[in-house]
């Protein structure tokens, strides 16, 4: 019997054997990659649970399809369904041009308060990469999803609002560092203690639950001391207050090593040498982007603010083959609401060509299965996708970069994964 996923008072999700999960096909290449994805998900679930569990998919409209049918980019019925059923999955959506909604994705994150943008970045053997050792990249990014400059508080130069804000800054706060006030647009960076703490709390808990060695707070606190710097400080304070027996700071870890007469080692040895505790450390954002190339093995969980997370997510994805194979999720761990999504764009010129790589959406489906506790089909899909890539039976994006590969369509690539489940 099909039922809704709910959240218990204890905080855990209650997932029936036949959960109702809304899906948005998406725009552009969305329908093509969804058709491949849903077959892979359904087959993996069937092979894992022999019919005892299955997803009842509920189609909801958003984007161009919704606008054509209803005149709304995000119909009220869709938003109501996403709120009611807690967990959903979506393809890429077009951002409307010429005013109105800035971004449907940002709208969803704000409306459902999906404060974690979670992006696991890992390498699949055989994927073309510009890196010498891409297999060393294995991180999960926790990007704050609702604040920072993405709060959308900005005003165009020449407007009444921009002038009012400029006057307040110069007259009430004695700001003298605006060089060209007559032509300056203004934006406000929003970073709260509560918003920072709930993001960092989720990152630390994820590291503990998955026995991962470290959480790195990535920030630009050397320049923005009261926003990004506060994010870092609040993170350390939260770890000490809420996870005192499960975490070490970097300095505590180094001191413990010195007392034992041990040398600094890599992440794998750290976790063994401190009894399974998670190390909490931080780094400046620009230095992290350098170290992610030089020593990616030193990082596991990344907790960062919205804009940093945007840059970092795509940069790391490029190291392991591009955003075409990078999954993503937007999650509120307090309410249980979660939307899993392809992280790439709509690629409208390839719409209905059945040629694009569905891996981002498929792996987002894997994240969704893990989120609801269905780990066996998730593991099957991950393993099968890896086999398809190692066998060089791939879609055009990888085919063009591989030697002696076999070119598959979107649907054929889905078939190839199913064959190895």
């Amino acid at each position: 019997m099909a039922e809704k996923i709910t959240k218990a008072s204890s905080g855990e999700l209650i997932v029936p054997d036949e959960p109702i999960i809304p899906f948005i096909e998406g725009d552009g290449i969305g329908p093509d990659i969804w058709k491949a994805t849903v077959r892979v998900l359904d087959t993996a679930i069937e092979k894992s649970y022999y019919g005892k569990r299955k997803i009842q998919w509920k189609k909801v409209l958003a984007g161009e399809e919704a606008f054509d049918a209803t005149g709304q980019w995000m119909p009220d019925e869709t938003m109501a369904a996403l709120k009611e059923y807690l967990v959903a999955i979506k393809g890429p959506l077009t951002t409307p041009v010429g005013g109105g909604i800035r971004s449907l994705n940002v709208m969803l994150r704000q409306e459902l308060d999906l404060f974690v943008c979670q992006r696991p970045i890992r390498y699949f053997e055989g994927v073309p990469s510009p890196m010498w050792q891409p297999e060393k990249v294995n991180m999960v990014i926790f990007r704050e999803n609702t604040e920072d400059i993405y709060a959308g508080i900005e005003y165009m130069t020449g407007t009444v609002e921009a002038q009012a804000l400029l006057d307040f800054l110069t007259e009430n706060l004695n700001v003298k560092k605006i060089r060209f006030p007559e032509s300056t647009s203004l934006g406000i960076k929003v970073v709260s203690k509560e918003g920072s703490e709930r993001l960092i709390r989720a990152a630390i808990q994820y590291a503990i639950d998955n026995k991962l060695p470290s959480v790195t707070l990535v920030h630009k606190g050397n320049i923005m001391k009261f926003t990004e710097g506060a994010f870092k400080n609040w993170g350390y304070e939260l770890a000490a207050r809420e996870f005192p027996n499960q975490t070490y700071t970097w300095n505590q870890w180094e001191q413990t090593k010195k007392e034992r007469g041990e040398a600094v080692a890599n992440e794998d040895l750290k976790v063994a040498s401190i009894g399974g505790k998670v190390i909490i450390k931080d780094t400046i954002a620009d230095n992290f982007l350098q170290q992610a190339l030089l020593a990616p093995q030193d990082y596991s969980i990344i907790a960062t603010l919205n804009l940093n997370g945007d840059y970092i997510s795509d940069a790391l994805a490029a190291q392991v083959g591009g955003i075409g194979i990078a999954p993503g999720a937007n999650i509120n761990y307090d309410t249980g609401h979660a939307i899993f999504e392809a992280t790439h764009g709509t690629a409208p010129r390839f719409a209905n060509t059945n040629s694009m790589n569905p891996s981002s959406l498929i792996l987002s489906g894997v994240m969704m299965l893990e989120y609801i506790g269905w780990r066996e089909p998730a593991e099957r899909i991950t393993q099968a996708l890896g086999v398809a890539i190692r066998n060089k039976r791939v879609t055009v994006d990888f085919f063009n970069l591989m030697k002696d590969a076999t070119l598959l369509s979107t649907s054929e690539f889905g078939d190839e994964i199913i064959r190895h489940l």
Side-chain angles (χ1 to χ4, degrees), residues 11-39:
E12 295 185 359
L13 289 181
I14 301 173
V15 181
D17 288 338
E18 294 188 24
I20 301 169
I21 295 183
F23 71 93
I24 298 169
E25 282 191 347
D27 299 324
I29 63 172
D32 281 350
I33 62 174
W34 171 250
K35 289 172 187 173
T37 296
V38 71
R39 289 193 299 113

Side-chain angles (χ1 to χ4, degrees), residues 142 197-212 214-217 234-240 242-244 246-248 278-280 301-303:
F142 277 68
E197 286 187 341
R198 65 181 184 172
L199 180 280
I200 296 165
R201 180 183 297 112
I204 294 173
Q205 190 62 58
Y206 185 94
I208 293 168
D209 292 343
N210 291 277
K211 296 181 172 56
L212 297 171
S214 67
V215 173
T216 303
L217 308 172
W234 291 329
Y236 278 120
E237 291 166 6
L238 178 132
E242 297 189 12
F243 302 95
Q246 298 157 299
T247 62
Y248 264 90
V278 176
I279 294 175
I280 310 298
I301 303 294
I302 304 302

Side-chain angles (χ1 to χ4, degrees), residues 102 106 109-111 113-117 143-154 187-200 226-228 230-232 234 304-310 330:
R102 287 192 178 199
V106 172
R109 295 166 190 169
Q110 295 282 351
E111 183 70 21
D113 197 22
L114 304 174
F115 61 85
V116 171
C117 179
R143 169 191 173 194
E144 202 291 317
N145 223 3
T146 63
E147 298 189 328
D148 202 3
I149 63 170
Y150 281 76
I153 306 171
E154 62 173 351
I188 295 178
K189 183 180 181 72
V190 178
V191 179
S192 71
K193 183 176 183 181
E194 291 84 354
S196 299
E197 286 187 341
R198 65 181 184 172
L199 180 280
I200 296 165
F226 305 128
T227 51
E228 304 238 353
F231 174 84
K232 177 199 73 171
W234 291 329
T304 191
L305 289 166
N306 210 325
L307 183 61
N308 293 334
D310 201 357
N330 300 284

Side-chain angles (χ1 to χ4, degrees), residues 49 60 82 215 255 322 364:
Y49 301 125
V60 294
L82 297 177
V215 173
Q255 183 61 37
S364 296

